[in-house]
Amino acid sequence: MVLGAPGAGKGTQAVQFAQKYGIPKISTGDILREAVQAETELGNRAKATMDAGGLVDDQLMIAIVRERLVRHDVAAGFVLDGFPRTVTQATALDEIMTGLGALIVVDIAVPDDALVGRLARRRVCGECGHATSVDDGAHCVRCGGELVLRSDDTESVVRERLRVYAEATKPLVDYYSSRPTFRAVNGAQSPEDVGSELLLAVEGALRALSTGNVVEEAGA
Ligand code: AMP
């Protein structure tokens, strides 16, 4: 799974890693955004919290991930992006992973001052969700859709998301860092270089596992 602050590049790296290994990417942010768009009960419950930059209720998030991880497509591994975000979620994930294989955790580390600027420049495709930068023009390179500002990338919400990250999610680095399958990569470089470092990190973590029976992999 991928750890990192908002704007660290988790989603971008998770997509690429999942594609490379042919495994599903499970992003709780994407699941929630789809639910908001479809106006399901989950979406209606989560919308106000997401718009304010807060965290959706732990038990709800744990139930979503628990349900997702019983599907057969995760058998050969998966990339988890955006979950866990609290120690309560991390504890639940350890329990959910019992029998599913080892959890590899990659933290994408980016200095705080770089994150605000990145998030201000971030744009997403309104059609396919591809993440890009305001510097890349007005249309998506993948599908031609219009690029838009994510509704929670406005300055005040970004500030709140970074505060929530520091308070609730950053402690997960301590939670995981003593594990032999924990790796940190330098997120303050080009997406291509982060991707290369991340692949090496995952390969190193896989080697560190003595059983050789790993079914879960990490992206960023
Ligand atoms: P993301 O796309 O990962 O930045 O997630 C967007 C928003 O969805 C977050 O700011 C939260 O409001 C919510 N969210 C996503 N994943 C979680 C989670 N694991 N726990 C709580 N809230 C979440």
Side-chain angles (χ1 to χ4, degrees):
M1 53 147 286
V2 191
L3 271 183
K10 296 188 297 292
T12 300
Q13 296 298 333
V15 168
Q16 284 173 10
F17 188 92
Q19 272 171 1
K20 184 173 167 62
Y21 281 87
I23 55 178
K25 179 195 82 140
I26 301 170
S27 158
T28 47
D30 285 350
I31 292 171
L32 291 172
R33 275 185 291 277
E34 279 163 24
V36 168
Q37 194 125 33
E39 296 183 13
T40 63
E41 195 190 330
L42 166 66
N44 294 338
R45 274 178 74 178
K47 186 175 186 320
T49 307
M50 292 172 76
D51 283 348
L55 291 183
V56 176
D57 176 69
D58 277 338
Q59 296 314 320
L60 189 57
M61 297 312 302
I62 291 165
I64 289 170
V65 170
R66 191 186 295 282
E67 269 173 38
R68 180 63 186 85
L69 293 184
V70 296
R71 279 167 51 181
H72 294 303
D73 65 346
V74 302
F78 55 90
V79 182
L80 202 47
D81 161 30
F83 184 96
R85 263 178 153 98
T86 64
V87 171
T88 303
Q89 293 179 16
T91 312
L93 181 62
D94 281 336
E95 183 255 313
I96 293 169
M97 287 301 294
T98 310
L100 272 180
L103 187 67
I104 294 173
V105 180
V106 180
D107 180 43
I108 304 185
V110 176
D112 285 352
D113 49 2
L115 295 170
V116 180
R118 277 195 192 191
L119 288 164
R121 307 190 78 71
R122 175 158 79 178
R123 296 293 181 273
V124 291
C125 174
E127 300 296 324
C128 74
H130 176 59
T132 181
S133 153
V134 70
D135 308 317
D136 295 334
H139 295 281
C140 176
V141 289
R142 298 240 170 108
C143 75
E146 196 180 340
L147 300 179
V148 295
L149 187 70
R150 228 173 83 167
S151 60
D152 58 354
D153 275 348
T154 57
E155 199 189 322
S156 61
V157 180
V158 161
R159 238 180 285 122
E160 176 62 6
R161 288 166 64 210
L162 291 172
R163 191 193 67 73
V164 167
Y165 167 77
E167 188 181 289
T169 309
K170 213 169 178 186
L172 292 182
V173 175
D174 280 341
Y175 181 87
Y176 287 119
S177 64
S178 61
R179 299 188 182 185
T181 51
F182 175 85
R183 295 288 183 281
V185 302
N186 172 16
Q189 41 183 349
S190 73
E192 294 74 24
D193 289 346
V194 177
S196 309
E197 203 182 315
L198 190 133
L199 279 182
L200 289 175
V202 173
E203 283 165 13
L206 286 169
R207 273 197 301 277
L209 286 163
S210 53
T211 61
N213 191 24
V214 178
V215 297
E216 206 267 343
E217 293 178 338

